[in-house]
Amino acid sequence: MRLSAKIAALLYLLVAIFLMRGVLPSPTELLPRYPGHQPFFERISESDQAMVLYLVMRNADTLLRNPAGLGGDGQCFPFPQSYTLGEHLFGEGILAAVPWALTGDAILTYNILLLLTFFLPGFTTFIFVRYFVGDSRAAFVAGLLVQLVLEQRLRAP
């Protein structure tokens, strides 16, 4: 069972790297782009991605420097307790904290975070399905489907 988990983890990592192939030429300068939108919506998408990048890095940096500060002003400031009004990036900030501490590069950290968000759901699905079904092959297919569905949802206009 452990060997199948190691093989599955390696294969899921390779799939995640393949899904992130758009940033591989320069992971410290490129962010994933999903073209196909009308120019107006593409600009909105880029602005939204910049806001998400900022919030993830702010949360990762706050977690490393002042963890109590995570409950401070959120993205909907100046509303009171604005972190409750839409701050969905706490988990991403936690996942990004280690790469941020190691690299200090916001774009590289964000790309590592995205790689993890493809890898972790696939691998955890594998573990979950293998536990309940008992078949590593079926579990691998289930995890692969999760990875591919996530990728397609990112591309959806």
Side-chain angles (χ1 to χ4, degrees), residues 27-31 53 99 103 105-113:
T28 60
E29 297 175 9
L30 297 174
L31 291 172
L53 175 66
T103 69
D105 185 303
I107 294 177
L108 179 61
T109 298
Y110 188 68
N111 284 328
I112 292 170
L113 167 70

Side-chain angles (χ1 to χ4, degrees), residues 14-142:
L14 291 174
V15 169
I17 290 169
F18 175 75
L19 295 175
M20 294 291 296
R21 67 192 175 278
V23 301
L24 290 179
S26 185
T28 60
E29 297 175 9
L30 297 174
L31 291 172
R33 294 195 60 209
Y34 300 100
H37 300 290
Q38 297 172 355
F40 173 75
F41 293 111
E42 202 161 307
R43 287 193 306 272
I44 290 174
S45 178
E46 288 172 5
S47 297
D48 183 62
Q49 189 176 43
M51 184 262 317
V52 168
L53 175 66
Y54 165 76
L55 290 171
V56 168
M57 292 306 104
R58 185 201 66 188
N59 287 344
D61 193 62
T62 302
L63 185 64
L64 293 170
R65 296 179 194 270
N66 178 20
L70 280 176
D73 299 334
Q75 75 185 58
C76 295
F77 183 80
F79 290 109
Q81 296 180 335
S82 61
Y83 56 87
T84 63
L85 295 176
E87 188 56 84
H88 60 285
L89 302 171
F90 286 132
E92 285 87 345
I94 292 169
L95 282 175
V98 172
W100 176 244
L102 294 174
T103 69
D105 185 303
I107 294 177
L108 179 61
T109 298
Y110 188 68
N111 284 328
I112 292 170
L113 167 70
L114 292 177
L115 183 84
L116 288 172
T117 60
F118 283 127
F119 170 76
L120 289 174
F123 187 62
T124 55
T125 299
F126 170 82
I127 298 297
F128 181 78
V129 171
R130 188 182 69 180
Y131 177 80
F132 283 104
V133 175
D135 185 357
S136 294
R137 294 169 297 178
F140 179 76
V141 171

Side-chain angles (χ1 to χ4, degrees), residues 12 81 154:
Y12 291 133
Q81 296 180 335
L154 285 176

